[in-house]
Amino acid sequence: RVLQQGQLITVEMGRVSFQSDRIPVAGPVREVLGEKFTIQDREFTFNAAGIGNPHCVIVLPEISADLARKYGPDIEVHKNFPNRINVQFLQVLNRQNVRIEIWERGVGYTLASGSSASASAAVAHKLGLVDAKLTVHMPGGQIGIEIARDFAIKMTGPTTRVAEGRLDAELFSIKV
């Protein structure tokens, strides 16, 4: 949906799953919440979520870009995640606001991501840490998330013109 004369857009992101076989996460079929692993020198409690792509969400009292850069690469390729995984470090600010730092699989440290914001918000809500309507703060900006009872996600954020272009009519006449 286009809102406020094109200043905001709402996107239906799909339904978040916490089921290991849908994400995927190795091991028996289960909801992946509150599991532990050790990465380098530190034990983490992690949660996994899928929303068309896999996410590992780690809730901590304090987060930083350095934390994501240090541990993200090893978590991405951990044996628990056969297809590799996106990693979010999440800090709960209050019932309506969380902050995340992102390590995106195959990319590295990332300033913002719609699927990361959606998965992180869903995990925080599933754990009872936040309300169903909240704002996810990322280094690259913030996005509004609404979580339905079935964990379907609506994401609302501002628009920014990044380019303008023109397609030549010849493009549409090419036969493949």
Side-chain angles (χ1 to χ4, degrees):
R1 289 185 333 219
V2 178
L3 309 166
Q4 296 180 5
Q5 293 144 2
Q7 299 301 305
L8 286 177
I9 301 283
T10 295
V11 177
E12 293 182 12
M13 294 294 290
R15 187 171 168 257
V16 174
S17 174
F18 305 98
Q19 290 298 122
S20 60
D21 59 329
R22 303 217 40 220
I23 297 166
V25 177
V29 176
R30 68 205 184 277
E31 276 194 337
V32 184
L33 298 168
E35 297 191 11
K36 295 187 183 303
F37 56 23
T38 300
I39 304 296
Q40 298 174 29
D41 58 348
R42 188 166 175 180
E43 183 177 78
F44 291 101
T45 300
F46 72 94
N47 311 277
I51 185 165
N53 57 357
H55 296 270
C56 174
V57 181
I58 298 171
V59 181
L60 295 170
E62 296 291 328
I63 62 171
S64 68
D66 290 340
L67 183 74
R69 287 185 175 107
K70 179 176 181 177
Y71 295 103
D74 289 342
I75 295 170
E76 175 189 349
V77 298
H78 191 275
K79 65 182 179 179
N80 285 358
F81 312 119
N83 295 342
R84 297 183 301 143
I85 202 155
N86 298 294
V87 183
Q88 296 81 43
F89 294 92
L90 179 142
Q91 177 184 16
V92 176
L93 303 175
N94 58 44
R95 299 280 313 167
Q96 294 82 36
N97 291 278
V98 298
R99 198 175 131 235
I100 62 172
E101 291 286 349
I102 305 161
W103 182 267
E104 190 172 351
R105 71 177 174 164
V107 176
Y109 181 73
T110 301
L111 297 177
S113 162
S115 66
S116 289
S118 298
S120 296
V123 164
H125 186 62
K126 180 81 168 172
L127 296 174
L129 303 173
V130 297
D131 296 338
K133 188 173 182 178
L134 67 149
T135 300
V136 178
H137 302 262
M138 299 168 279
Q142 58 188 38
I143 200 91
I145 301 288
E146 291 181 57
I147 307 164
R149 288 186 187 269
D150 65 353
F151 285 89
I153 303 291
K154 286 185 184 176
M155 181 176 72
T156 301
T159 60
T160 302
R161 182 184 302 252
V162 295
E164 194 171 311
R166 191 183 79 155
L167 297 175
D168 193 285
E170 183 182 0
L171 175 68
F172 300 104
S173 65
I174 297 172
K175 295 188 178 172
V176 180

